Every structure is written in C-alpha cells, then in structure tokens.
Amino acid sequence: SLVVFIVEDDEQMMAMLADFLKNKFPEFDIRTFTTGETALAAMGEHPHVVILDYFLNSKEPDASNGLAILSEIRKNNRSTRVILFSSQEDPAVAANAIKMGAYDYIVKNKEAFVKLESILSHFKKHLHIDSDTINKKLMVILGSVMLIIAAIYLINFYYQG
C-alpha cells in the first residue's frame, strides 16, 4: 500500500485530513507528524507521498517551515512526491515550492480536499505496484529462464548424442 505522511502542526486540520484520507483510501498507510523534523526522522520508511504544511511553527516556534523541510527531503529522496498543503496563498511561495521539487501546491480552501483526492487517486494508479503484480512478473521471468535452460540442455544433448 502507499505510505502517506501528513505533516501538519494544526492538530484539528491534521485529524480532518487523516480521517478524510482514511475514508477515501482505506488501503493507504497514513502517518501523521506535527513537525517537519519528526517527519524527516521517519523518512527511512520511504513514504510515497508527503503532504506538507507550509507554516509548521504554531506549536514549536523554532520548527522549520515547509519549504525548508521540502529542501531536506529532496537532498536525500527524489522519488517521494511532496504536496505542499497550506493556507499561504502567495503565488511566489507556490512557484518556489514547485521549483524546489514539490509535486503540487494546494491552498487550503473549500476545494482543497477534492484536489488532494484527485492527486492521490492518480498516485494510487501510477505509484502502487502490488505484490500480486510483482509475483506474476517474477513467475514469467522464472518461467522464461527455465525454458532457456531446457532449450540449452536439449541442444547440448542433441549435438552430443
């Protein structure tokens, strides 16, 4: 299943977002963090998607903002899709986030959850490879290798006999 990190210092917003995603995507593994620093410490879990607030210092005044956390994520991980999810409506901030490697920038408004659902539905189709698909591909490869070995054996047997 897709691993999704939600990094949001507003606990009420984080709970609403987590509940929304769990209802829409029950197969996702949703993890929540109130600071970017705690999310960075968990990046070893290789999340597929990080939903990242821009302002992360309401509880911890020294906490880094979303762009600083995005920069740290990008230093070590280019494949995780990062979506900035913020009340910050400044187009320059959004443009900078995209330039820094964010997949998208969603302003928290009445359409925000619908837009997020659309993006995550796309990721669900294109980022997720389930174990059945992997097992089928491995079986095809293994079967092909066995056929090649059998063919080599028969050719050797035919020419030596």
Side-chain angles (χ1 to χ4, degrees):
S1 71
L2 288 180
V3 177
V4 178
F5 283 9
I6 299 171
V7 186
E8 171 64 66
D9 62 334
D10 178 336
E11 291 183 26
Q12 185 176 3
M13 174 58 78
M14 180 171 49
M16 286 177 17
L17 190 52
D19 287 345
F20 175 79
L21 295 180
K22 287 174 184 174
N23 286 329
K24 294 291 181 177
F25 305 99
E27 69 279 12
F28 285 9
D29 180 9
I30 308 291
R31 301 274 323 275
T32 58
F33 304 89
T34 56
T35 68
E37 289 79 4
T38 55
L40 287 173
M43 287 301 290
E45 296 175 34
H46 307 290
H48 298 92
V49 180
V50 175
I51 301 167
L52 181 61
D53 187 19
Y54 178 76
F55 293 113
L56 291 167
N57 62 353
S58 71
K59 301 270 188 283
E60 306 224 2
D62 295 334
S64 297
N65 72 28
L67 292 182
I69 300 302
L70 171 62
S71 178
E72 288 299 313
I73 290 171
R74 284 291 164 252
K75 282 182 185 176
N76 300 311
N77 186 323
R78 302 289 306 163
S79 63
T80 296
R81 307 306 197 274
V82 179
I83 300 167
L84 264 287
F85 192 75
S86 180
S87 56
Q88 173 61 263
E89 295 186 45
D90 183 354
V93 173
N96 195 29
I98 300 299
K99 188 169 80 172
M100 291 175 65
Y103 180 85
D104 206 338
Y105 189 96
I106 300 174
V107 175
K108 293 177 188 173
N109 58 27
K110 63 183 179 180
E111 292 91 27
F113 280 34
V114 173
K115 185 171 183 182
L116 187 59
E117 179 183 2
S118 173
I119 292 169
L120 292 176
S121 292
H122 172 78
F123 288 164
K124 179 181 171 181
K125 292 177 190 167
H126 298 287
L127 291 181
H128 181 65
I129 299 176
D130 63 356
S131 59
D132 288 341
T133 302
I134 292 170
N135 288 340
K136 288 175 186 172
K137 288 179 181 180
L138 287 174
M139 292 304 288
V140 168
I141 292 169
L142 183 60
S144 299
V145 169
M146 295 301 287
L147 284 173
I148 291 169
I149 291 171
I152 291 170
Y153 176 78
L154 289 173
I155 290 169
N156 267 343
F157 181 77
Y158 178 78
Y159 283 110
Q160 289 181 358

